[in-house]
Amino acid sequence: MAWNIGANDLANAMGTSVGSKALTINQVIVLAGILEFSGAVFFGKRVTTTVAKGIVPIELLDQHLITIGAFSSILIAGVWITLATLYRLPVSTTHSIVGAVLGFGLALVLRGSLALSSIKWGTLLNIVASWIISPIAGAFFAFTIFFLIRRFILERAEEIGRVEKIFAYLQVASASYVAFAHGSNDVANAVGPVAAALGLFGTEIPRWLLAIGGLGIVIGLSTWGYRVIETVGERITTLTPTRGFSAEFGTASTVLICSSL
C-alpha cells in the first residue's frame, strides 16, 4: 500500500514541479524521498490513529477479525490504486483506504459481529467533510498566492523570464513543503490498518512502523511515480514556475492544516 501511495498520490502532488521544468523527475525523487520520509516519521502519528481506529471500533472486535479486515482493506485499496497508476490516473489513496475500511465495517454489520450504530459515523463525516473542504481550500490558497504574485510581481516586472527563473528556485522550496506535508498525512493510509492488525490501537503508533511506511512511499515514487507525474505535470495544463509554486504551496498548506485537525 505504501508503494502505491508513492507511485500515485505522491507523484500526483509532485507533478507540478516537473511540469513547470523547475525540477527533473530524478531530482523530485531525491528531494521528495528525504522529506516524505521525514514527514511520515515525525508527524504521521495523528492521522494514522484516525485510520487505525477512528472509523471502525476495533476495540470491540476479536484480534483475528481485525487482522482479516486490515489485510482485506489494504489489499483491495492497493489493487485499485495499482490499476489506476498503470493507466496513469491520479487518484486519492485516502478515499481508497477509508472506503475499504468502511466496507470492512459494513461487512461486520451484515455478519452480525457489529452494530450499525457502532461505526463511528461522526468521524467518518468529518473525513468526508475534509474531502469537500480540501480542494476548495487548496484552490483558495493557490488562487490567492498566484493573484498576489501576478499583481505585485509579474505585472511590474520588466523581464518575466527572469522572474520565472527565480520562482523555479522557489518551487524547490514549495516542492519540499509538499513532500513533507504529504508524508505527514498519507503514510496513515498504509500503516493505519497495519497498526490495527498488530494490536497497536491502544498504544502510541511506533516510529518504526511510520518509518517502514515512509520507506515504502519513497520506493513507490522512485519506481513507478513517473507515470502519474507525467499526467499531472504535462497532460492537464501548461505550467510555469509561478503557477507551479502557487499550486504546490496551496496544496501543502491545505494538507498540513487538515493533518493537524
Side-chain angles (χ1 to χ4, degrees):
M1 185 63 186
W3 180 87
N4 275 295
I5 294 171
N8 193 296
D9 225 23
L10 177 57
N12 180 8
M14 300 299 290
T16 50
S17 296
V18 177
S20 68
K21 305 297 188 291
L23 294 169
T24 65
I25 290 182
N26 289 335
Q27 289 171 333
V28 162
I29 290 172
V30 174
L31 182 66
I34 296 171
L35 291 161
E36 178 84 15
F37 183 83
S38 300
V41 171
F42 295 108
F43 288 91
K45 292 182 180 180
R46 196 179 187 94
V47 182
T48 299
T49 301
T50 299
V51 175
K53 61 179 182 179
I55 301 171
V56 175
I58 56 178
E59 64 274 7
L60 302 179
L61 304 175
D62 294 332
Q63 187 59 43
H64 77 280
L65 280 179
I66 297 173
T67 302
I68 293 172
F71 174 78
S72 302
S73 298
I74 292 175
L75 178 63
I76 194 63
V79 169
W80 156 241
I81 298 167
T82 299
L83 290 174
T85 306
L86 177 64
Y87 289 100
R88 303 174 187 267
L89 300 174
V91 298
S92 170
T93 57
T94 304
H95 289 58
S96 303
I97 195 65
V98 169
V101 171
L102 176 61
F104 162 58
L106 293 176
L108 291 176
V109 171
L110 292 176
R111 185 175 181 269
S113 301
L114 195 67
L116 184 62
S117 59
S118 297
I119 293 178
K120 300 179 181 180
W121 297 106
T123 301
L124 187 64
L125 182 62
N126 289 337
I127 294 172
V128 173
S130 74
W131 293 346
I132 298 172
I133 294 170
S134 57
I136 297 173
F140 171 77
F141 285 133
F143 172 83
T144 302
I145 293 167
F146 185 69
F147 175 81
L148 294 174
I149 291 172
R150 186 179 63 180
R151 181 70 178 273
F152 296 104
I153 299 177
L154 293 179
E155 292 181 357
R156 301 181 182 185
E158 295 181 0
E159 297 182 28
I160 300 298
R162 186 176 181 181
V163 173
E164 293 291 354
K165 187 174 182 179
I166 293 173
F167 270 91
Y169 291 106
L170 291 176
Q171 199 174 354
V172 175
S174 64
S176 302
Y177 187 21
V178 167
F180 188 85
H182 186 273
S184 70
N185 187 282
D186 275 34
V187 70
N189 297 334
V191 305
V194 176
L198 294 176
L200 300 175
F201 51 86
T203 61
E204 185 173 322
I205 306 299
R207 289 198 189 278
W208 64 262
L209 184 58
L210 296 170
I212 291 174
L215 180 61
I217 293 173
V218 173
I219 294 173
L221 174 66
S222 61
T223 53
W224 238 25
Y226 70 92
R227 303 179 72 87
V228 175
I229 283 177
E230 289 176 355
T231 298
V232 174
E234 301 174 2
R235 299 184 181 183
I236 297 177
T237 188
T238 301
L239 290 171
T240 62
T242 51
R243 294 172 183 174
F245 173 83
S246 302
E248 287 180 346
F249 199 88
T251 298
S253 298
T254 302
V255 171
L256 274 182
I257 291 171
C258 290
S259 296
S260 64
L261 296 178

